[in-house]
């Protein structure tokens, strides 16, 4: 099982490395609470078709070490860049879901794009979900604080009760088995209480809007119309508008978990993006 140490503080971080070593490189960055396992419907098919698919488990998530510190966006970006350097990866396509989208943005603005040729933000929370002067349609901060208190009291119930909306199961075409929903909740519970609480706090304070115009590389923005975790107009639409070289793909009826509900379409869009951008 491959590991490397964080260049920031030596935290032991797990990563997956699938597919041919000489294939085009795709690095997947998972969302909050999950680990790299969330990308199974992307990493396995792409690896089987010739891509080298690498996935990093964020500290406190998946199989990475449980630590107290380092959950700020800068450290997460440094951990991601540390993986690129550890494996000496070049011409990388970065693919990030939810919080992973912000980690990618910060990694690029903090470390540059010498190793990265393009990026994809899938149901991203970038530029940020909180209401502010430059984001008047964002979510009220007090609402998020109240939700965080519910989360702290019983995060198992928080995940289980939110799974229906996460996958937008009321919308046509979003067929996810009860068994997979249970599995997804179990994956979230595998993240430590410290890590889950810390990244929840990061989301409430995050605003990478000023950084997006500095990204000149091609960026694919994929977002669902029924994403309640990262409302489309607040996140996906704003990202596409702020990025100087973006392609926006809107998935009708898609929720936050469209990497499952719309897996085949997402894989097709990623392949097209990686061969034409």
């Amino acid at each position: 099982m491959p590991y490397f140490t964080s260049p920031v503080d030596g935290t032991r971080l797990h990563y997956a490395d699938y597919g041919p070593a000489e294939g085009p490189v795709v690095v997947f960055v998972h969302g909050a609470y999950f680990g790299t396992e969330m990308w199974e419907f992307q990493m396995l098919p792409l690896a089987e078709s010739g891509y080298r698919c690498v996935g990093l488990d964020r500290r406190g998530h998946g199989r990475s070490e449980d630590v107290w510190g380092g959950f700020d966006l800068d450290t997460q970006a440094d951990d991601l860049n540390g993986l690129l350097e550890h494996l000496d990866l070049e011409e990388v396509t970065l693919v990030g879901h939810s919080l992973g989208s912000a980690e990618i943005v910060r990694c690029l603005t903090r470390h540059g794009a010498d190793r990265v040729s393009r990026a994809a933000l899938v149901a991203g929370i970038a530029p940020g979900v909180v209401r502010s002067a430059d984001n008047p349609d964002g979510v009220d901060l007090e609402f998020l604080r109240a939700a965080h208190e519910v989360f702290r009291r019983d995060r198992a119930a928080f995940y289980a009760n939110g799974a229906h909306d996460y996958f937008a199961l009321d919308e046509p075409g979003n067929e996810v088995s009860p068994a997979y929903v249970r599995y997804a909740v179990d994956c979230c519970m595998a993240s430590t209480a410290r890590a889950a609480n810390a990244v929840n706090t990061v989301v409430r304070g995050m605003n990478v809007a000023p950084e997006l115009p500095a990204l000149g590389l091609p960026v694919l923005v994929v977002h669902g119309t029924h994403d309640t975790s990262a409302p489309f107009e607040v996140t996906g639409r704003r990202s596409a508008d702020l990025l100087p070289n973006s392609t926006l793909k809107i998935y009708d009826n898609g929720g936050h978990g469209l990497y499952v509900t719309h897996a085949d379409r997402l894989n097709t869009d990623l392949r097209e993006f990686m061969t034409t951008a």
Side-chain angles (χ1 to χ4, degrees):
M1 196 175 294
Y3 287 87
F4 76 106
T5 56
S6 165
V8 179
D9 58 6
T11 297
R12 192 166 180 256
L13 301 173
H14 171 262
Y15 64 93
D17 192 349
Y18 295 164
E22 302 305 319
V25 181
V26 193
V27 174
F28 290 88
V29 187
H30 60 79
Y33 320 128
F34 289 95
T36 295
E37 76 284 332
M38 66 161 277
W39 292 113
E40 66 173 293
F41 301 118
Q42 285 70 49
M43 291 183 68
L44 290 181
L46 289 174
E48 289 169 348
S49 62
Y51 289 89
R52 181 181 180 183
C53 295
V54 178
L56 170 65
D57 282 351
R58 184 186 299 109
R59 54 181 61 213
H61 293 67
R63 296 177 177 87
S64 286
E65 185 178 3
D66 181 21
V67 292
W68 180 254
F71 293 98
D72 59 283
L73 204 55
D74 282 353
T75 300
Q76 292 177 44
D78 292 351
D79 286 347
L80 175 57
N81 187 68
L83 176 64
L84 303 185
E85 293 185 342
H86 173 74
L87 295 176
D88 194 23
L89 302 177
E90 297 181 346
E91 296 296 317
V92 172
T93 299
L94 293 175
V95 181
H97 175 261
S98 193
L99 176 59
S101 69
E103 292 177 37
I104 286 174
V105 172
R106 182 61 54 84
C107 181
L108 292 170
T109 57
R110 190 168 168 84
H111 296 282
D114 289 348
R115 293 181 178 273
V116 181
S117 58
R118 64 188 70 81
L121 312 182
V122 179
I125 62 168
V129 299
V130 178
R131 185 179 303 160
S132 62
D134 64 344
N135 186 24
D137 297 323
V139 182
D140 181 72
L141 179 60
E142 291 307 315
F143 173 84
L144 292 176
R145 284 175 175 159
H148 188 200
E149 289 307 309
V150 174
F151 174 86
R152 285 175 62 92
R153 284 195 296 272
D154 190 343
R155 63 191 178 102
F158 182 90
Y159 298 142
N161 294 338
H164 193 276
D165 288 342
Y166 182 91
F167 292 112
L169 296 181
D170 284 338
E171 302 305 318
N174 295 340
E175 298 178 2
V176 182
S177 71
Y180 187 88
V181 171
R182 288 194 299 273
Y183 166 71
V185 172
D186 289 343
C187 288
C188 289
M189 286 302 296
S191 65
T192 68
R194 165 58 183 165
N197 181 69
V199 298
N200 198 302
T201 302
V202 168
V203 169
R204 297 203 313 276
M206 193 198 75
N207 180 13
V208 297
E211 300 170 53
L212 292 178
L215 302 185
L217 77 175
V219 180
L220 174 66
V221 179
V222 177
H223 220 94
T225 57
H226 288 69
D227 191 329
T228 57
S229 300
F232 168 62
E233 294 294 338
V234 171
T235 55
R237 176 77 75 185
R238 287 181 68 222
S239 286
D241 288 345
L242 288 167
L243 288 160
N245 189 7
S246 68
T247 299
L248 176 62
K249 298 279 188 177
I250 304 172
Y251 287 18
D252 289 338
N253 303 320
H256 205 50
L258 49 76
Y259 57 92
V260 176
T261 58
H262 294 67
D264 291 342
R265 180 179 174 186
L266 176 59
N267 293 344
T268 297
D269 285 339
L270 287 173
R271 285 189 180 97
E272 179 183 2
F273 176 64
M274 290 188 290
T275 56
T276 61

